[in-house]
Amino acid sequence: MIVGYGHAGRDLHHAALRTLHGADRTVFVVDPALREAPPGVRLLPSLRAVAECGPVAQTVFHVTTPPGAHVACVERLVALGARRVILEKPIAPTAEESARLRGPAGLATILPVSVWPNSRVTREVRSIIASGEIGEPVALFMEQSKPRFGRTSSSDAHHTAFEVELPHQVLLALHLAGPRARMLSSTTWAMPLPDRVIPGMGGAVLRLEHENGTVSTLLSDLTSPARRRHLRVTGTRGEIAADFPVGADDPFGQIRISGRPGRTVVEDAPLTRFVEAAYACFTGEGPPPPAGLDLHQRAIGLLEQARERAVPAAFEEAVAG
């Protein structure tokens, strides 16, 4: 059952379910904004009607409402008997609000959506790091950029660039370089449009220092002319360069290791893999997907600091720093 059928519910979660279970399976949806049911969807009038989709405790609920409604929605579902919840990221707007999920998490299995930690590219990178081939990691760089002029100019759903791609990147950095980190610096810049300038939405750079000394630099340029999802891990004896799929139309990533000829091409569909792992966890057929509620809460806390302390700068100054 999908609660909230906007972009995440419709284009991401439902698409992943079609891949895993086939297009013929009916999906129950609660979304007051829908006036008629799309193909393959049975609309429910409200959360009070969840019993219509079967035994509530065995039903998997995908919570894809706007982030500000996440916690209240999960609390309501668990009160109605839900015990299997997939929660879209960010799990809550603030770290303080995300702490409320500890109550429902004591009664239900709540799995927050973690895209890059469930990527096959990431799995390969972790394996290379663990092998010692590049020595001890000392730096991590990730760029997740894309042109976002249209969506930014037509919607005020996001107020800063830290709310768009950076949540994915911070989560991956904590997953790869260690869960405990402190913020070193935070920079943002404006998005120029033909008729106006939108402060804080052009992009952002965030630098973190992890407990083991690794420094992560995370860049997101929302004025980029092209999509880019690139990861570089630098070690004491070498470097890994990895590129994640940039879209569902070509689900392949690539990995290169310094000093080694050629590249490894990996078929990758991170969100589908996450949903697959989540369902296996719910039925006892597999462990929880990596990056649970605690890691998401840490990421939210760092992003809160980044928003509060961000230094406005020109794009050239930001990326040069």
Side-chain angles (χ1 to χ4, degrees):
M1 177 176 171
I2 300 175
V3 184
Y5 204 66
H7 168 64
R10 178 186 65 249
D11 301 329
L12 302 179
H13 287 249
H14 198 172
L17 291 172
R18 289 191 188 100
T19 300
L20 292 175
H21 303 309
D24 295 334
R25 177 174 292 194
T26 298
V27 172
F28 291 83
V29 167
V30 173
D31 190 327
L34 288 178
R35 295 293 175 259
E36 59 182 50
V41 166
R42 178 180 166 188
L43 278 179
L44 296 179
S46 68
L47 289 181
R48 290 191 297 271
V50 295
E52 293 182 26
C53 61
V56 177
Q58 279 72 54
T59 299
V60 178
F61 293 89
H62 295 245
V63 176
T64 58
T65 61
H70 280 177
V71 174
C73 182
V74 170
E75 289 173 335
R76 181 73 188 283
L77 286 170
V78 171
L80 290 168
R83 295 298 179 262
R84 299 173 175 179
V85 178
I86 291 174
L87 180 58
E88 183 56 64
K89 56 79 197 154
I91 58 174
T94 66
E96 182 179 5
E97 189 170 348
S98 73
R100 284 172 47 193
L101 289 167
R102 293 171 187 161
L107 299 172
T109 301
I110 302 173
L111 302 179
V113 171
S114 308
V115 179
W116 300 135
N118 286 276
S119 162
R120 285 177 175 165
V121 170
T122 301
R123 186 174 64 189
E124 291 293 325
V125 169
R126 285 178 62 89
S127 177
I128 295 165
I129 293 171
S131 74
E133 185 170 355
I134 66 166
E136 291 297 320
V138 295
L140 180 153
F141 170 82
M142 186 180 188
E143 178 182 357
Q144 190 166 346
S145 296
K146 63 182 180 182
R148 200 179 184 276
F149 295 98
R151 288 186 63 188
T152 302
S153 62
S154 62
S155 170
D156 60 357
H158 298 293
H159 302 291
T160 72
F162 294 105
E163 301 167 33
V164 184
E165 304 290 9
L166 263 299
H168 289 290
Q169 295 166 258
V170 172
L171 196 67
L172 179 62
L174 297 181
H175 176 64
L176 285 175
R180 297 187 181 278
R182 69 184 183 95
M183 193 186 79
L184 294 177
S185 63
S186 173
T187 307
T188 187
W189 56 92
M191 173 178 284
L193 292 169
D195 60 340
R196 58 197 165 113
V197 172
I198 303 179
M201 282 301 298
V205 176
L206 173 60
R207 296 180 68 245
L208 305 173
E209 183 180 31
H210 300 262
E211 193 173 46
N212 59 11
T214 302
V215 173
S216 291
T217 302
L218 311 175
L219 163 66
S220 177
D221 177 16
L222 303 181
T223 67
S224 170
R227 283 179 172 265
R228 184 167 169 80
R229 293 171 173 173
H230 178 73
L231 170 69
R232 187 170 67 246
V233 181
T234 303
T236 53
R237 294 201 303 271
E239 191 170 81
I240 305 167
D243 290 279
F244 295 90
V246 294
D249 59 327
D250 195 32
F252 292 88
Q254 301 183 36
I255 302 163
R256 298 172 296 283
I257 304 173
S258 60
R260 185 195 292 185
R263 67 188 69 186
T264 301
V265 177
V266 181
E267 188 171 5
D268 202 6
L271 179 60
T272 302
R273 298 285 76 79
F274 165 80
V275 174
E276 183 178 46
Y279 275 68
C281 172
F282 290 139
T283 59
E285 299 173 27
L293 283 173
D294 286 348
L295 204 67
H296 278 256
Q297 289 174 330
R298 291 182 187 275
I300 290 173
L302 288 167
L303 287 163
E304 275 189 299
Q305 292 181 35
R307 288 195 298 269
E308 292 169 0
R309 304 180 191 177
V311 177
F315 172 76
E316 292 79 5
E317 297 172 351
V319 296

